[in-house]
Every structure is written in structure tokens, then in C-alpha cells.
Amino acid sequence: NNVHNVRLCLALAKSRAVPTHTLLADFAAGHKVAAVLSYAHENAVEPFLEPSLGICAALLQRVVDERAVDAGRRGDAFAAALDGIAPLLDVVHVLIECSSAGETEVASFAVPSLAAESLKAMVDLLPADASRAVFARDTPLMDAVGALGTAAAVDRGEHGFADVSSVNGGSSPVNGGGSGSPRRGFARAQRSSLSAVAAAARAATQLSPPFDAETLTPGETTQLEATLRRLARGEPC
């Protein structure tokens, strides 16, 4: 119920002293972080946002590691880990929206970075369910993709991504173009977000049917494709 408790939970999620099964099954960490993340997002409690996204990313990384140990055997431990992160499907819309956030909207690029990282991991681990969640009709996908890129950044009063290496004529972190600068951080996060959406689109084509009454309409799909093409033409590689 306070940010210190959330940060303590983040430390536990990252600590390998606590087994993955204990976190996901015994502590129901997937359910709990989904609830906290949803609360933080809906009520604009930004101090909770970054650590709860960090917990989400840490739990998903644990399941990625569990899959590597499982080595394709689909054993009980990996299956249980997948079940443990399933509640995070309920906050895919939050991950989408947070991953498109700009520097005038959140205090740190850690927020979109962690959200994009989590979104990519969800699509990787649960491709069918996550892709349906990404393209569900009630997600903010259209607005989120529209918020990406230079034009949208400039509209928000931010530097465009084309200026990543040349803000104020320099490339140092002080000037906003260094490798650890906020400008680069937001740019990397948005590229990761687009990568996650692309992976979800590839996964969706494997579904039968790929789109249905609960997903984007044909008109929305066409609009999304046009926005993505515009981004591809207008942004630096």
C-alpha cells in the first residue's frame, strides 16, 4: 500500500533466493502485480508505475529462464510458470499505453522501457493469448502507435527521434544524445514497443481466425497499417 512495499516486492522478484514457483504459485505474484499495475495506471500513481512494471518484467524474465531450463520438454515447472504469468494478460492494455509514453508524460524512460520489455516477453511466451490481447478492440493500440515517432513527440513539445544524436548540437548525455540519455532511452523504448506489436501481428496470423469480432475491425487494421508505414518512412533506422 506504499511505494516502499512495492520496491521491496521488486527486490524479491529480482532475487533468485526466492524460487520462481514460490513467487508465482505460492505468493500469486502475477495476480498481485497485475492488480497494482492496473491501480497505478488507472489512478495516475506514477511512483508505483515504474516498480510495478519492474516486477512484471522480472517475473517474465524468470519464466523465459525457466523455458531455457525446460529445453522444449514442456515440463510441469515451465507449465506452472506460464500459468503464473497468465494474469498479466489482463494488463496488456496498460503495457501498450505505457510503452508509448514520452518524456513529457512520465518522469523516466524506465517506464516505457520496462513496459515494452514486458510486452515483448508476453508475446514471446504466450503468443496466441498475448496477440489477441494486443489486438483486442478495447485496447489503446491505435492511440499508442499514433503516439510513437518524431511527429507525435514534437506535438508533445519533445525533441524528435531524428534528433537523438544531435540535440543542442552535441552527443553527450548532458545534451540529450548520449548512449544513456533520456532521449535515447525513450527512442529505444518506442522501437521495442513497435517490435512487440510486430511480433504480436506475426503470431496473430497463425490463429484461426487471425481476427474476429473481439479484435480490430478491418478499418482499424487498415489505419494501423498506414500509421506503421508512415513511421517506417519518417523515422531514422
Side-chain angles (χ1 to χ4, degrees):
N1 60 358
N2 63 59
V3 70
H4 301 293
N5 289 342
V6 178
R7 292 195 179 279
L8 177 59
C9 292
L10 173 59
L12 289 172
K14 289 183 173 181
S15 171
R16 293 311 168 111
V18 183
T20 297
H21 177 80
T22 299
L23 277 177
L24 293 176
D26 298 342
F27 295 166
H31 283 284
K32 290 175 181 176
V33 73
V36 173
L37 182 55
S38 181
Y39 169 82
H41 177 258
E42 290 174 7
N43 294 280
V45 186
E46 189 167 337
F48 280 22
L49 203 53
E50 181 181 332
S52 58
L53 284 167
I55 296 169
C56 185
L59 294 179
L60 289 165
Q61 184 57 54
R62 280 174 174 264
V63 182
V64 169
D65 294 344
E66 193 71 50
R67 179 177 61 184
V69 173
D70 183 77
R73 294 188 297 270
R74 300 290 294 184
D76 291 343
F78 179 50
L82 288 177
D83 287 343
I85 60 165
L88 298 179
L89 290 166
D90 293 335
V91 291
V92 162
H93 66 290
V94 177
L95 299 179
I96 290 171
E97 190 166 329
C98 287
S99 68
S100 70
E103 62 188 280
T104 58
E105 298 169 309
V106 291
S108 168
F109 63 81
V111 168
S113 295
L114 289 167
E117 176 186 339
S118 297
L119 189 61
K120 287 180 70 175
M122 288 294 292
V123 173
D124 180 38
L125 291 165
L126 297 168
D129 292 330
S131 63
R132 285 197 180 278
V134 167
F135 292 105
R137 196 162 294 182
D138 59 349
T139 64
L141 181 61
M142 303 297 292
D143 290 340
V145 172
L148 301 177
T150 295
V154 171
D155 284 345
R156 292 192 297 266
E158 304 168 10
H159 291 288
F161 294 134
D163 302 323
V164 162
S165 297
S166 59
V167 176
N168 294 333
S171 59
S172 71
V174 173
N175 286 329
S179 60
S181 73
R183 178 89 313 266
R184 284 190 181 274
F186 282 100
R188 282 195 301 269
Q190 293 199 357
R191 292 188 185 108
S192 293
S193 179
L194 283 174
S195 176
V197 172
R202 289 192 295 272
T205 63
Q206 305 302 313
L207 301 178
S208 181
F211 295 96
D212 56 29
E214 296 182 354
T215 57
L216 298 181
T217 65
E220 288 172 329
T221 303
T222 300
Q223 181 183 346
L224 178 61
E225 290 173 346
T227 302
L228 292 171
R229 289 194 188 97
R230 186 170 66 251
L231 280 170
R233 289 193 302 267
E235 297 302 322
C237 298

